Structures are given as C-alpha cells and as structure tokens.
Amino acid sequence: MSVQSEVKRLTAADIRARKGGDPIVSLTAYHAHTARVVDQHCDVILVGDSLGMVMHGLETTVPVTLDMMILQGLAVMRGSRRALVVVDLPFGSYEASKEQAFLNAARVMKETGCGAVKLEGGRRMAETIAFLVERGVPVMGHIGLTPQAINVLGSFRAQGRREEEWDMIEDDAKAVAKAGAFSVVLEAIAEPLGARITEMVPIPTIGIGASPACDGQILVLEDMLGLSPRVPKFVKRFGDLGPSIDRAVGAYAAEVRARTFPAAEHTYGMAKKNA
Ligand code: KIV
C-alpha cells in the first residue's frame, strides 16, 4: 500500500478546470529550497529550461539537456508538496518525432515524478501534443516567443505587435488547445492579442509578457527577485536580492580577513576527558 502525503498535489486537470476562474499563480524554480518557498504561494512550479541561463550562464536555452532537466526536476519535486510541477522538454528532445517526444516525456515523468511537461510550438507540435496526451502525458503548450527557436528567430523579439501576425499566433493557440494541452504559456506577445487568445481558447492561458487578462501569470523566479543581471521588459522586480547578497558576502569576506569569523560560538571545544 502506498503512503499518501497529507497534502494533495494539484494536477494538470485541476489547473485545466481553473479556466476563467481565480488567476493561476506560477513561477519557475530549479532547486529544492526555492521550490519550498514558491510552493507556499503558487499553483504551478515550472522547472523551465531557462535554468540554462540562470544556473549555467548559457546565452540561450538551446544547449540544455534532458539530464539537466531531470536533475533539477527531481530537486523541485523533493522541495515542493502542493503545486503542480511542470518540467520543460529541452530543445532536441521532442521535435524529431512524436515517438521521440513520448519516450523522453515518459522518462521525465518516471524519473522526476512531475505532473506534466511543457513543450514549445503551436500548429507544428499539435500532432505530438495529441500523441502525448492520448498516452497519459499532460502537456502545457508554449507559443508566441519560443526561445528554443532563437537561432531561426534571430532575436528575442515580442510577437504579434502587427495585426498581420495575429492569425498565425491565434491558429497556434487553437491548435494546441484542440490537441489536448491542459494550458498554454503565451510569451512576449502584444497585450490585446493575449487578451483575445484568452477569450478564444477553452484552456487556461499563462502569460509572461502577455496580458493581465490571461488566466494565470508566470515569471522566472531569479528575474523577479532581482538576481538576474539583464531582464526582459515584461519582468517586474518584486525583490532586490542582488544587493543584499552582495552585502552579506562582503561582510563575510571582511570578517574572514579580520579573523573575527568564526567566533567562539561557531567553533567546537574539546570533549571533556572521561565524558
Ligand atoms: O524556461 C522557462 O523558464 C519558461 C518560462 C519563461 C515560461 O519557459
């Protein structure tokens, strides 16, 4: 018999049922300790492939591997109890065929215990999304700006700022919803388009640089905490951890140099003889 946790974790179906309801609060996390904090406040934790930039200092998400995603997905599952944990499928792990996508998504789910995967792409990924969902893999879609396509796009430019671009992005949203995704991330698209797609599709939209009308919002945790040196226009800094980490590390360095750290209370005395 399995030992059930007292806290029931949210499922992809729970998030799907939130369409048009209370906003779905989402953030990224890559570590157990940050996941523990985020879990207290969020419905969805995304182990995003942005970890390539945030944790590894990469310029893009393209070099991120499945093993990197699985390692951090496991850490986030260990650190969280209530939120739905979604793990990104990285570039090259799902585009070749729907079979490749299933094998890698199944590996992510088995090895991390996460509740869903996310993949980038609209119409071109619809068949793959349907294949995964039919086989028991809940999928979060991701359209608008798709960072894994940076080498084709040429820059991280907002999408849909000209009305001529709207049809294509709307078709992507409809295709992802029709294929059975339980929600879709709308990244860096013009605000009126974000609101319009939210009205148009029957699944929750999760905005990042989209619209306050979206069914939910997501940001990269380190960006909103003020730890990332460069952030896109759509990031609001809700914290300013950079300077306070700088102060703490500076104070530590000064005390080590002055030999005032460690003090007596941070060191171990000898055991009493015969104790
Ligand atoms: O990788 C990531 O963090 C993401 C979010 C920006 C949605 O995909």
Side-chain angles (χ1 to χ4, degrees):
M1 215 173 87
S2 70
V3 181
Q4 301 289 333
S5 147
E6 278 163 34
V7 179
K8 191 183 165 313
R9 214 182 253 285
L10 291 171
T11 64
D14 293 329
I15 300 301
R16 167 73 183 79
R18 297 267 295 268
K19 177 71 189 175
D22 287 345
I24 300 161
V25 183
S26 323
L27 278 173
T28 63
Y30 319 123
H31 317 97
H33 288 188
T34 49
R36 187 174 51 76
V37 177
V38 169
D39 192 51
Q40 308 295 315
H41 304 276
C42 290
D43 305 305
V44 174
I45 304 179
L46 173 68
V47 185
D49 60 357
S50 53
L51 66 79
M53 279 112 125
V54 175
M55 292 181 66
H56 299 277
L58 295 168
E59 280 300 312
T60 73
T61 55
V62 171
V64 172
T65 65
L66 202 63
D67 287 340
M68 288 159 86
M69 297 309 304
I70 289 174
L71 197 62
Q72 303 322 132
L74 252 179
V76 168
M77 284 299 294
R78 289 192 198 107
S80 63
R81 293 182 340 143
R82 179 187 164 271
L84 170 69
V85 173
V86 181
V87 176
D88 257 343
L89 292 182
F91 177 70
S93 70
Y94 62 95
E95 303 91 329
S97 67
K98 43 196 200 305
E99 289 79 12
Q100 181 208 27
F102 178 75
L103 290 174
N104 284 328
R107 198 182 144 209
V108 168
M109 293 190 73
K110 278 173 187 279
E111 293 184 26
T112 67
C114 72
V117 299
K118 175 165 83 60
L119 55 81
E120 295 184 7
R123 282 156 297 160
R124 70 185 164 87
M125 292 314 302
E127 210 185 321
T128 298
I129 294 173
F131 190 83
L132 295 186
V133 175
E134 280 160 16
R135 283 157 183 77
V137 180
V139 178
M140 176 182 272
H142 184 155
I143 64 165
L145 175 64
T146 48
Q148 292 178 8
I150 181 64
N151 290 311
V152 175
L153 296 172
S155 69
F156 294 111
R157 182 181 69 81
Q159 310 287 302
R161 298 185 73 196
R162 292 176 216 282
E163 251 181 72
E164 310 88 85
E165 296 173 21
W166 282 23
D167 279 353
M168 275 186 2
I169 303 172
E170 288 174 10
D171 289 349
D172 279 343
K174 287 190 242 169
V176 165
K178 189 154 175 250
F182 72 91
S183 61
V184 61
V185 168
L186 306 181
E187 179 163 354
I189 62 172
E191 192 284 324
L193 179 61
R196 200 174 136 92
I197 290 175
T198 302
E199 281 268 297
M200 192 177 278
V201 294
I203 57 172
T205 57
I206 313 286
I208 173 161
S211 166
C214 287
D215 298 293
Q217 301 293 331
I218 188 162
L219 284 175
V220 170
L221 180 69
E222 286 75 359
D223 289 355
M224 60 85 89
L225 290 179
L227 274 174
S228 306
R230 281 175 290 127
V231 292
K233 168 190 162 77
F234 56 70
V235 174
K236 174 171 174 181
R237 289 184 189 260
F238 287 84
D240 200 11
L241 290 197
S244 68
I245 292 178
D246 185 61
R247 270 194 303 279
V249 174
Y252 165 77
E255 290 200 21
V256 169
R257 290 194 180 105
R259 296 192 190 281
T260 53
F261 176 83
E265 66 268 31
H266 308 118
T267 59
Y268 296 99
M270 295 295 288
K272 289 199 178 78
K273 281 215 172 104
N274 307 324

